[in-house]
Amino acid sequence: MAAKPSIPKGTRDFSPVEMAKRNYIFNTIRDVYHLYGFQQIETPSMEMLSTLMGKYGEEGDKLLFKIQNSGDYFSGLTDEELLSRNAVKLASKFCEKGLRYDLTVPFARYVVMHREEITFPFKRYQIQPVWRADRPQKGRYREFYQCDADVVGSDSLLNEVELMQIVDTVFTHFGIRVCIKINNRKILSGIAEIIGESDKIVDITVAIDKLDKIGLENVNTELREKGISDEAIAKLQPIILLSGSNEEKLATLKEVLAASEIGLKGVEESEFILKTLSVLGLKNEIELDLTLARGLNYYTGAIFEVKALDVQIGSITGGGRYDNLTGVFGMSGVSGVGISFGADRIFDVLNQLELYPKEAVNGTQLLFINFGEKEAAFSINILAQVRAAGIRAEIFPDAGKMKKQMSYANSKAIPFVALVGENEMNEGKVTLKNMETGEQKLLTPQELISELN
């Protein structure tokens, strides 16, 4: 017997019902993006490794899926290189391409390549899959969709404000209660400066970003391993564990960071975003969280993360400001800010909380039972009228036992069936059966359409 097929760990198949739910997510996010003036683009699944490498930090580079060159990729290698068994070095020799890790770096590449065609500020959104060679676990997949929105070519903090409004609007539509967490990389740089470890800003932010996952003690251990002094770590504790209202946190930071110009700039930016949002009537809470670091190296200003309040799962949206990303592709001076909705985690949250509206997952509304050749020919004509009226309908393709056809309707949760026999054909009508109540009505095609609409 043939072995049962399987799929790679960290990937998933999606059934028709699951795809209906996923499309509800994508369509909701897409509609909100359109509401705020964003336009859609797409980029290839694979990018040149030279585009991807060095943009996500050392940890991110390790998680890139590399694509093996076609042809005789060993021909350019020496025996010494082959025998060295140096996987990283060998991969660089015969892998020129990789699957995209996120949508932001490919977007930066797109902006540079198409700069002559783009009107700035450029507001784009992108809904496509990304791949990470990560260890699969609950809520963490190797293949997953991101739903990004970015604005490039504008330094205005009004862009940050709008993106937070988008986040609030989307999760309000979904009915998911969330906490929107914000911070600023300039604040983190200021903290590194006043504790005397400016050159270790990346190490500090990568470690702090793991606070939720590994706890304070393990974060401190990681900081020590990176060569940060015990004195500096001690100074860091009260800052990263700062509590109180957003206003109280900002007031404390102004005192703590008084000697750091960059730190105060971060406080000023955060204060503007929070004050502006406070009068806009957001439905969800927004919190200044100094433990939020967003480990990616390219963030330079405001950073965001969204946590679901009623489900234990990682962040379901994230993003931030990056002032120099296009510079690595030869186009400096273009500032950008963006967010990314994690569609797969949102899918899991909506499932756990059973928040999908019924109409979002309904497929076929009406099934015509097939009693034979003449009845099917009569039904097809009415079926065309029903579909023209926007009603999702189908006919069972084979004339067979009614029990089988009814079972088909039940398995697909089709709420109505249309019965057409000799009496119905003589009267030019259809018997409509409600599958939930069992109620039956004899209707003209127009009455049938009105009833279902």
Side-chain angles (χ1 to χ4, degrees):
M1 194 170 108
K4 189 178 179 182
S6 62
I7 58 175
K9 284 182 179 177
T11 65
R12 295 180 287 177
D13 287 325
F14 295 103
S15 69
V17 169
E18 288 169 327
M19 279 311 303
K21 291 178 176 181
R22 287 170 69 78
N23 285 329
Y24 164 68
I25 293 169
F26 297 140
N27 292 338
T28 299
I29 294 169
R30 187 180 286 113
D31 288 347
V32 175
Y33 282 161
H34 286 160
L35 200 61
Y36 283 79
F38 286 79
Q39 296 176 295
Q40 187 172 17
I41 68 162
E42 287 198 349
T43 59
S45 298
M46 67 181 90
E47 294 275 351
M48 302 305 294
L49 272 180
S50 56
T51 297
L52 302 173
M53 294 292 286
K55 310 305 187 304
Y56 307 106
E58 193 180 334
E59 292 199 13
D61 282 352
K62 290 176 186 172
L63 300 180
L64 287 171
F65 273 113
K66 298 173 179 68
I67 299 172
Q68 192 174 281
N69 296 343
S70 54
D72 185 7
Y73 49 80
F74 278 133
S75 60
L77 297 174
T78 65
D79 288 349
E80 188 182 348
E81 284 171 326
L82 282 169
L83 291 169
S84 73
R85 298 179 184 270
N86 186 324
V88 175
K89 195 172 180 183
L90 287 171
S92 70
K93 294 277 187 178
F94 53 77
C95 297
E96 294 172 357
K97 296 175 285 292
L99 295 177
R100 59 171 173 249
Y101 177 93
D102 73 352
L103 299 178
T104 307
V105 170
F107 172 53
R109 190 264 313 148
Y110 176 94
V111 170
V112 174
M113 284 185 67
H114 298 273
R115 69 183 95 178
E116 304 303 328
E117 308 152 32
I118 291 171
T119 302
F120 292 99
F122 182 37
K123 301 173 78 171
R124 88 80 170 87
Y125 78 88
Q126 200 169 341
I127 298 176
Q128 288 187 276
V130 300
W131 294 268
R132 295 183 186 178
D134 213 343
R135 187 169 63 85
Q137 52 188 288
K138 185 184 178 185
R140 189 182 291 271
Y141 306 100
R142 285 177 171 166
E143 177 186 62
F144 55 97
Y145 268 75
Q146 287 185 338
C147 309
D148 281 21
D150 288 78
V151 186
V152 294
S154 169
D155 296 323
S156 172
L157 291 171
L158 288 177
N159 296 313
E160 276 86 338
V161 170
E162 274 209 340
L163 290 171
M164 294 304 91
Q165 287 180 280
I166 286 172
V167 168
D168 185 65
T169 304
V170 165
F171 286 111
T172 300
H173 278 316
F174 287 144
I176 298 173
R177 292 192 320 118
V178 298
C179 177
I180 303 167
K181 294 175 178 285
I182 84 159
N183 197 6
N184 196 297
R185 286 298 282 258
K186 293 184 179 78
I187 291 176
L188 293 169
S189 295
I191 291 168
E193 192 178 310
I194 63 155
I195 66 170
E197 299 282 2
S198 290
D199 58 328
K200 297 281 178 64
I201 178 62
V202 173
D203 291 332
I204 291 169
T205 55
V206 167
I208 289 175
D209 200 40
K210 298 175 181 174
L211 188 69
D212 274 358
K213 301 183 191 92
I214 64 175
L216 185 60
E217 198 174 314
N218 289 320
V219 167
N220 291 338
T221 301
E222 188 168 319
L223 289 169
R224 283 188 198 93
E225 287 169 358
K226 295 293 184 181
I228 294 159
S229 70
D230 284 336
E231 186 186 351
I233 292 170
K235 286 181 184 175
L236 195 57
Q237 304 308 293
I239 300 169
I240 62 174
L241 297 174
L242 194 62
S243 59
S245 68
N246 292 333
E247 292 77 13
E248 288 166 341
K249 289 176 185 175
L250 288 167
T252 303
L253 284 171
K254 283 177 187 175
E255 293 175 20
V256 172
L257 300 175
S260 170
E261 187 182 341
I262 191 168
L264 289 177
K265 180 66 178 165
V267 174
E268 181 190 322
E269 290 179 3
S270 301
E271 190 168 35
F272 175 85
I273 295 165
L274 289 165
K275 273 190 174 177
T276 308
L277 287 169
S278 69
V279 298
L280 292 175
L282 296 191
K283 303 289 193 300
N284 292 284
E285 64 178 283
I286 186 158
E287 176 194 344
L288 178 65
D289 182 356
L290 297 186
T291 67
L292 173 61
R294 301 290 298 163
L296 300 182
N297 284 350
Y298 53 63
Y299 292 122
T300 55
I303 45 180
F304 323 109
E305 203 156 271
V306 178
K307 298 281 179 130
L309 295 177
D310 300 315
V311 171
Q312 281 290 105
I313 199 166
S315 69
I316 52 180
T317 299
R321 165 74 63 174
Y322 44 89
D323 283 336
N324 50 13
L325 193 61
T326 55
V328 298
F329 298 121
M331 185 180 176
S332 58
V334 179
S335 183
V337 61
I339 53 170
S340 179
F341 288 96
D344 293 83
R345 286 187 176 180
I346 293 170
F347 174 83
D348 289 344
V349 171
L350 288 170
N351 270 336
Q352 284 187 55
L353 299 178
E354 297 181 348
L355 288 173
Y356 289 100
K358 194 176 178 184
E359 61 273 16
V361 294
N362 277 350
T364 302
Q365 295 166 272
L366 176 67
L367 172 71
F368 280 81
I369 300 297
N370 188 338
F371 287 112
E373 200 174 315
K374 284 188 299 179
E375 291 86 350
F378 180 89
S379 295
I380 284 171
N381 181 42
I382 300 173
L383 181 60
Q385 296 174 52
V386 165
R387 285 173 176 159
I391 295 162
R392 300 183 301 277
E394 59 181 292
I395 185 169
F396 198 83
D398 306 301
K401 291 181 178 177
M402 190 169 169
K403 184 181 177 183
K404 181 182 178 181
Q405 298 187 49
M406 287 295 194
S407 293
Y408 175 83
N410 283 325
S411 69
K412 288 187 72 177
I414 300 172
F416 295 96
V417 298
L419 307 166
V420 175
E422 199 162 326
N423 291 341
E424 283 84 2
M425 287 193 293
N426 289 337
E427 294 187 49
K429 293 183 178 180
V430 171
T431 296
L432 179 69
K433 179 173 182 174
N434 184 316
M435 292 293 283
E436 195 175 326
T437 65
E439 182 188 2
Q440 295 190 177
K441 293 180 182 178
L442 187 63
L443 305 168
T444 65
Q446 203 51 51
E447 288 169 342
L448 173 69
I449 289 166
S450 298
E451 182 81 15
L452 292 173
N453 275 335

